[in-house]
mmCIF file of all heavy atoms in Angstrom:
data_model
loop_
_atom_site.group_PDB
_atom_site.id
_atom_site.type_symbol
_atom_site.label_atom_id
_atom_site.label_comp_id
_atom_site.label_asym_id
_atom_site.label_seq_id
_atom_site.Cartn_x
_atom_site.Cartn_y
_atom_site.Cartn_z
ATOM 1 N N ASP A 235 -5.292 22.339 -8.927
ATOM 2 C CA ASP A 235 -5.497 21.043 -9.586
ATOM 3 C C ASP A 235 -5.993 20.000 -8.611
ATOM 4 O O ASP A 235 -6.952 19.301 -8.865
ATOM 5 C CB ASP A 235 -4.209 20.594 -10.281
ATOM 6 C CG ASP A 235 -3.828 21.477 -11.444
ATOM 7 O OD1 ASP A 235 -4.736 22.024 -12.099
ATOM 8 O OD2 ASP A 235 -2.617 21.632 -11.695
ATOM 9 N N SER A 256 -22.030 35.919 3.835
ATOM 10 C CA SER A 256 -21.506 35.727 2.476
ATOM 11 C C SER A 256 -21.636 34.257 2.048
ATOM 12 O O SER A 256 -21.894 33.970 0.881
ATOM 13 C CB SER A 256 -20.035 36.167 2.401
ATOM 14 O OG SER A 256 -19.928 37.545 2.682
ATOM 15 N N ALA A 257 -21.420 33.362 3.011
ATOM 16 C CA ALA A 257 -21.529 31.923 2.713
ATOM 17 C C ALA A 257 -22.965 31.568 2.306
ATOM 18 O O ALA A 257 -23.212 30.844 1.329
ATOM 19 C CB ALA A 257 -21.110 31.081 3.899
ATOM 20 N N GLY A 267 -18.728 26.558 -5.163
ATOM 21 C CA GLY A 267 -17.451 26.002 -5.591
ATOM 22 C C GLY A 267 -16.538 27.057 -6.218
ATOM 23 O O GLY A 267 -15.316 27.004 -6.079
ATOM 24 N N ALA A 272 -11.734 30.531 -5.665
ATOM 25 C CA ALA A 272 -11.189 31.895 -5.560
ATOM 26 C C ALA A 272 -10.414 32.053 -4.251
ATOM 27 O O ALA A 272 -9.341 32.684 -4.216
ATOM 28 C CB ALA A 272 -12.301 32.932 -5.667
ATOM 29 N N GLY A 292 -2.975 5.803 -5.020
ATOM 30 C CA GLY A 292 -3.492 6.693 -6.047
ATOM 31 C C GLY A 292 -4.882 7.247 -5.810
ATOM 32 O O GLY A 292 -5.356 8.065 -6.565
ATOM 33 N N MET A 293 -5.533 6.803 -4.719
ATOM 34 C CA MET A 293 -6.895 7.270 -4.440
ATOM 35 C C MET A 293 -6.873 8.351 -3.356
ATOM 36 O O MET A 293 -6.178 8.206 -2.350
ATOM 37 C CB MET A 293 -7.754 6.099 -3.923
ATOM 38 C CG MET A 293 -7.952 4.997 -4.941
ATOM 39 S SD MET A 293 -9.005 5.510 -6.314
ATOM 40 C CE MET A 293 -10.579 5.689 -5.451
ATOM 41 N N ALA A 304 -6.639 35.474 9.787
ATOM 42 C CA ALA A 304 -7.155 36.609 8.996
ATOM 43 C C ALA A 304 -7.773 36.175 7.697
ATOM 44 O O ALA A 304 -8.589 36.919 7.116
ATOM 45 C CB ALA A 304 -6.004 37.582 8.731
ATOM 46 N N TYR A 305 -7.416 34.989 7.194
ATOM 47 C CA TYR A 305 -7.975 34.471 5.952
ATOM 48 C C TYR A 305 -9.239 33.659 6.176
ATOM 49 O O TYR A 305 -9.837 33.141 5.226
ATOM 50 C CB TYR A 305 -6.945 33.600 5.237
ATOM 51 C CG TYR A 305 -5.856 34.377 4.515
ATOM 52 C CD1 TYR A 305 -4.825 34.970 5.225
ATOM 53 C CD2 TYR A 305 -5.864 34.517 3.142
ATOM 54 C CE1 TYR A 305 -3.843 35.676 4.574
ATOM 55 C CE2 TYR A 305 -4.888 35.235 2.472
ATOM 56 C CZ TYR A 305 -3.858 35.816 3.229
ATOM 57 O OH TYR A 305 -2.887 36.545 2.558
ATOM 58 N N ALA A 311 -16.564 33.651 14.520
ATOM 59 C CA ALA A 311 -17.923 33.342 14.944
ATOM 60 C C ALA A 311 -17.971 32.323 16.066
ATOM 61 O O ALA A 311 -19.033 32.053 16.611
ATOM 62 C CB ALA A 311 -18.731 32.818 13.742
ATOM 63 N N PRO A 313 -17.347 30.757 19.845
ATOM 64 C CA PRO A 313 -17.321 31.323 21.207
ATOM 65 C C PRO A 313 -15.937 31.258 21.847
ATOM 66 O O PRO A 313 -15.699 31.971 22.818
ATOM 67 C CB PRO A 313 -18.326 30.448 21.950
ATOM 68 C CG PRO A 313 -18.399 29.162 21.181
ATOM 69 C CD PRO A 313 -18.225 29.579 19.754
ATOM 70 N N ALA A 319 -2.139 34.667 18.243
ATOM 71 C CA ALA A 319 -1.438 35.430 17.213
ATOM 72 C C ALA A 319 -0.276 34.645 16.596
ATOM 73 O O ALA A 319 0.110 34.917 15.458
ATOM 74 C CB ALA A 319 -0.915 36.723 17.800
ATOM 75 N N ALA A 321 -0.217 31.430 15.845
ATOM 76 C CA ALA A 321 -0.655 30.134 15.290
ATOM 77 C C ALA A 321 -1.387 30.289 13.967
ATOM 78 O O ALA A 321 -2.029 31.311 13.688
ATOM 79 C CB ALA A 321 -1.583 29.436 16.285
ATOM 80 N N GLY A 337 -3.816 5.750 10.450
ATOM 81 C CA GLY A 337 -2.762 6.725 10.753
ATOM 82 C C GLY A 337 -2.700 7.896 9.784
ATOM 83 O O GLY A 337 -1.769 8.694 9.865
ATOM 84 N N GLY A 345 2.435 16.558 8.140
ATOM 85 C CA GLY A 345 2.746 17.269 6.906
ATOM 86 C C GLY A 345 2.524 18.754 7.057
ATOM 87 O O GLY A 345 3.329 19.573 6.591
ATOM 88 N N THR A 351 6.501 24.862 9.988
ATOM 89 C CA THR A 351 7.765 25.082 10.675
ATOM 90 C C THR A 351 8.745 25.803 9.773
ATOM 91 O O THR A 351 9.475 26.694 10.214
ATOM 92 C CB THR A 351 8.336 23.744 11.160
ATOM 93 O OG1 THR A 351 7.442 23.136 12.103
ATOM 94 C CG2 THR A 351 9.685 23.942 11.837
ATOM 95 N N LYS A 365 -19.254 17.519 20.252
ATOM 96 C CA LYS A 365 -20.479 16.702 20.116
ATOM 97 C C LYS A 365 -20.698 16.379 18.644
ATOM 98 O O LYS A 365 -21.834 16.401 18.160
ATOM 99 C CB LYS A 365 -21.684 17.456 20.706
ATOM 100 C CG LYS A 365 -21.559 17.743 22.187
ATOM 101 C CD LYS A 365 -22.770 18.471 22.721
ATOM 102 C CE LYS A 365 -22.629 18.779 24.215
ATOM 103 N NZ LYS A 365 -23.815 19.510 24.727
ATOM 104 N N VAL A 369 -27.519 15.237 16.197
ATOM 105 C CA VAL A 369 -28.494 15.718 15.244
ATOM 106 C C VAL A 369 -29.182 16.992 15.699
ATOM 107 O O VAL A 369 -29.931 17.611 14.962
ATOM 108 C CB VAL A 369 -29.580 14.634 14.982
ATOM 109 C CG1 VAL A 369 -28.951 13.430 14.338
ATOM 110 C CG2 VAL A 369 -30.289 14.256 16.287
ATOM 111 N N ALA A 373 -25.699 23.420 12.633
ATOM 112 C CA ALA A 373 -25.165 24.730 12.215
ATOM 113 C C ALA A 373 -23.840 24.600 11.473
ATOM 114 O O ALA A 373 -23.574 25.337 10.537
ATOM 115 C CB ALA A 373 -25.008 25.620 13.437
ATOM 116 N N GLY A 375 -22.751 21.887 9.883
ATOM 117 C CA GLY A 375 -22.859 21.025 8.709
ATOM 118 C C GLY A 375 -21.772 19.973 8.638
ATOM 119 O O GLY A 375 -21.432 19.475 7.568
ATOM 120 N N VAL A 378 -16.846 21.245 11.097
ATOM 121 C CA VAL A 378 -15.940 21.345 12.239
ATOM 122 C C VAL A 378 -15.562 19.913 12.634
ATOM 123 O O VAL A 378 -16.431 19.118 12.971
ATOM 124 C CB VAL A 378 -16.581 22.069 13.426
ATOM 125 C CG1 VAL A 378 -15.609 22.252 14.576
ATOM 126 C CG2 VAL A 378 -17.122 23.431 12.984
ATOM 127 N N ALA A 381 -13.533 17.086 18.103
ATOM 128 C CA ALA A 381 -12.500 17.438 19.057
ATOM 129 C C ALA A 381 -11.622 16.211 19.375
ATOM 130 O O ALA A 381 -10.406 16.330 19.575
ATOM 131 C CB ALA A 381 -13.116 17.984 20.336
ATOM 132 N N SER A 386 -6.490 13.172 19.508
ATOM 133 C CA SER A 386 -5.807 11.923 19.181
ATOM 134 C C SER A 386 -4.515 12.131 18.425
ATOM 135 O O SER A 386 -3.636 11.255 18.415
ATOM 136 C CB SER A 386 -6.737 11.002 18.367
ATOM 137 O OG SER A 386 -6.900 11.498 17.042
ATOM 138 N N SER A 427 29.964 -0.242 12.137
ATOM 139 C CA SER A 427 31.047 0.263 11.299
ATOM 140 C C SER A 427 30.683 0.114 9.843
ATOM 141 O O SER A 427 29.879 -0.723 9.458
ATOM 142 C CB SER A 427 32.319 -0.528 11.582
ATOM 143 O OG SER A 427 32.160 -1.874 11.157
ATOM 144 N N THR A 439 29.993 -22.629 3.316
ATOM 145 C CA THR A 439 30.812 -23.689 2.708
ATOM 146 C C THR A 439 30.160 -25.043 2.933
ATOM 147 O O THR A 439 29.881 -25.419 4.071
ATOM 148 C CB THR A 439 32.200 -23.708 3.339
ATOM 149 O OG1 THR A 439 32.797 -22.401 3.172
ATOM 150 C CG2 THR A 439 33.086 -24.716 2.677
#
Side-chain angles (χ1 to χ4, degrees):
D235 293 328
S256 298
M293 297 290 293
Y305 283 76
T351 298
K365 299 180 180 179
V369 296
V378 183
S386 73
S427 66
T439 304

